[in-house]
């Protein structure tokens, strides 16, 4: 019996997984051990696994719905056809807000970092010039389509993994398991802090804007798309676990209030970890890691935003149409980042709530309606119920946190 061979036009599952992993794992991973410090390791890992499972389920539900439509049909087309114009408008606003804010945040936050690096190389660019250069680079790759994004994403993800191992591999050799598994101090408990961690875990697995692109990329091959989603999210989960064990296993829980007091950012966390790292040229490797993390997430987020705008505008896939879509995708966030370089701080807090809508609730509702519309034989009632419960719990957590009814560990 002859073994069927892959044709050159059938992309490997690896490329799609790289898009998912590169989109999911970005510079935001540095915040996970900080926000999990109150609930500590056990609860943090449990919530991370729950979020991974729920977000994978919602992605698979959305993929199943997408396969009922022609290749190229995007988020807006599906929601408008199955849920109506009202839901389409609400979903569109949530997607544009979340992806637009993230694009704005990546440009704003990474501009000064790239300016510093380019200045050290002898290129005297201003912060605005660095933002423009970075945006043009990413826009050029996104214009090439999913193939171009996947290639650069693969390079960034492999570089991130290699640098992460070099940076923190030594920490795994000296992890204090007793510290990771230590019971809560007498008179206190970990669980009251757990609910507030959930929205951050949800945001750590946001990739749904890339699914319609993968449907076209894999020519509607259900198995390849599903495997790409599974492999990409599993790789992301593994990287998160690697990072959480490395940090929480070397820093006692009592060290995190001080990190929070200093802003809870990368610099504060790295300063606390500094005495535990045994790697030369740490500053250079950390800078390189941050660069690759930003580029990968920036690519993934803007590719999803590009696909949504292209579908919403309905302008086709010509070169002129893609350039117009790219301008709508990149120009407003770029201008906003130059005019208001720090304005995203207030708005970013609302991104998690809107992400719950379009990455959790909407896929479940689409799957529910699609089962009735297309009379599919395979029912997903349990998966839909679990995803909706997860979304509802995240909304409750966000609201309680917004009203400051949840405890904050070391946050004052």
């Amino acid at each position: 019996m002859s073994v069927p061979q892959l044709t050159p036009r059938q992309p490997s599952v690896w490329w799609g997984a790289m898009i998912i992993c590169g989109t999911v794992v970005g510079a935001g991973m540095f915040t996970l051990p900080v926000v999990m410090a109150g609930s500590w390791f056990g609860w943090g890992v449990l919530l991370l696994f729950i979020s991974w499972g729920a977000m994978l389920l919602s992605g698979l539900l959305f993929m199943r719905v997408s396969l009922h439509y022609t290749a190229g049909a995007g988020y807006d087309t599906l929601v408008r056809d199955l849920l109506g114009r009202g839901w389409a408008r609400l979903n569109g606003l949530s997607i544009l807000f979340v992806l637009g804010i993230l694009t704005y945040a990546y440009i704003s936050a990474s501009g000064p970092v790239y300016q510093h690096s380019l200045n050290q190389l002898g290129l005297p660019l201003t912060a605005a010039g660095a933002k423009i250069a970075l945006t043009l680079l990413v826009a050029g790759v996104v214009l090439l389509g999913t193939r171009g994004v996947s290639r650069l994403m693969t390079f960034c993800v492999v570089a991130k993994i290699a640098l992460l191992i070099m940076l923190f591999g030594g920490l795994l050799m000296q992890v204090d398991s007793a510290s990771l598994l230590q019971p809560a101090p007498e008179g206190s408990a970990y669980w009251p802090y757990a609910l507030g961690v959930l929205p951050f875990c949800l945001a750590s697995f946001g990739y749904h804007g890339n699914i319609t692109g993968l449907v076209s990329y894999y020519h509607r091959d259900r198995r390849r798309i599903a495997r790409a989603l599974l492999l990409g999210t599993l790789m992301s989960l593994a990287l998160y676990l690697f990072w959480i064990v490395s940090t929480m296993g070397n820093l006692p829980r009592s060290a995190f209030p001080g990190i929070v007091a200093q802003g809870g950012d990368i610099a504060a966390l790295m300063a606390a970890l500094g005495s535990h790292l045994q790697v030369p040229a740490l500053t250079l490797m950390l800078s390189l890691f941050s660069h690759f993390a930003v580029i990968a997430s920036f690519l993934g987020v803007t590719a999803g935003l590009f696909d949504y705008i292209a579908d919403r505008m309905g302008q086709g896939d010509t070169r002129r149409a893609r350039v117009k879509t790219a301008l709508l995708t990149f120009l407003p966030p770029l201008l906003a980042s130059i005019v208001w370089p720090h304005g995203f701080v207030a708005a970013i807090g609302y991104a998690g709530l809107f992400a719950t809508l379009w990455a959790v609730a909407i896929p479940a509702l689409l799957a529910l309606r699609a089962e009735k519309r297309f009379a599919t034989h395979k029912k997903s009632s349990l998966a839909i119920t679990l995803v909706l419960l997860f979304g509802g719990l995240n909304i409750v957590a966000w609201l309680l946190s917004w009203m400051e009814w949840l405890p904050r560990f070391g946050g004052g």
Side-chain angles (χ1 to χ4, degrees), residues 73-282:
Y75 225 129
D76 184 71
T77 297
L78 273 60
V79 176
R80 187 176 296 273
D81 183 52
L82 289 173
L83 300 180
R85 291 185 178 181
W87 278 104
R89 292 192 185 99
L90 182 60
N91 184 64
L93 287 174
S94 67
I95 291 177
L96 289 174
F97 182 84
V98 174
L99 297 184
I101 283 293
L102 289 176
T103 301
Y104 168 45
Y106 279 123
I107 296 174
S108 298
S110 58
V113 175
Y114 283 87
Q115 177 197 14
H116 177 72
S117 299
L118 292 172
N119 287 348
Q120 286 187 323
L121 294 175
L123 299 174
L125 281 179
T126 62
K131 292 176 182 178
I132 293 171
L134 175 64
T135 303
L136 287 174
L137 170 64
V138 174
V141 176
V142 171
L143 272 173
L144 295 176
T146 304
R147 182 180 297 273
V149 172
S150 67
R151 297 304 189 268
L152 183 55
M153 194 77 82
T154 298
F155 175 71
C156 290
V157 171
V158 171
K160 283 196 300 184
I161 293 173
L163 288 166
L164 193 64
I165 292 174
M166 286 190 289
L167 277 168
F168 306 110
L171 288 176
L172 289 178
M173 304 301 295
Q174 50 188 12
V175 164
D176 182 1
S177 57
S179 175
L180 285 176
L181 304 176
Q182 65 178 335
E186 188 176 350
S188 64
Y190 292 146
W191 65 264
Y193 300 97
L195 190 58
V197 177
L198 200 58
F200 290 93
C201 292
L202 181 152
S204 298
F205 289 101
Y207 61 90
H208 297 63
N210 301 100
I211 295 176
T212 54
L214 291 182
V215 171
S216 298
Y217 186 54
Y218 286 112
H219 307 291
R220 300 165 49 79
D221 188 327
R222 180 192 297 266
R223 287 188 176 184
R224 289 185 182 277
I225 303 167
R227 289 173 181 173
L229 298 184
L230 177 60
L231 179 58
T233 56
L234 272 176
M235 290 172 59
S236 305
L237 178 64
L239 286 173
Y240 287 148
L241 291 174
F242 179 90
W243 171 238
I244 291 170
V245 170
S246 296
T247 50
M248 289 185 166
N250 283 275
L251 289 175
R253 186 171 181 257
S254 58
F256 282 91
I259 296 173
V260 174
Q262 297 175 47
D265 56 12
I266 297 174
L269 186 60
M270 290 309 301
L273 277 170
S275 61
H276 297 273
L277 294 171
Q278 306 297 323
V279 181
L282 171 62

Side-chain angles (χ1 to χ4, degrees), residues 58-84:
S58 69
L60 292 173
L61 288 174
F62 184 76
M63 175 207 72
R64 181 176 293 182
V65 175
S66 299
L67 292 174
H68 289 295
Y69 294 81
T70 59
Y75 225 129
D76 184 71
T77 297
L78 273 60
V79 176
R80 187 176 296 273
D81 183 52
L82 289 173
L83 300 180

Side-chain angles (χ1 to χ4, degrees), residues 337-355:
S337 73
I338 294 173
V339 178
W340 301 291
H342 306 294
F344 73 90
V345 175
I348 201 71
Y350 295 91
L353 179 64
F354 286 92

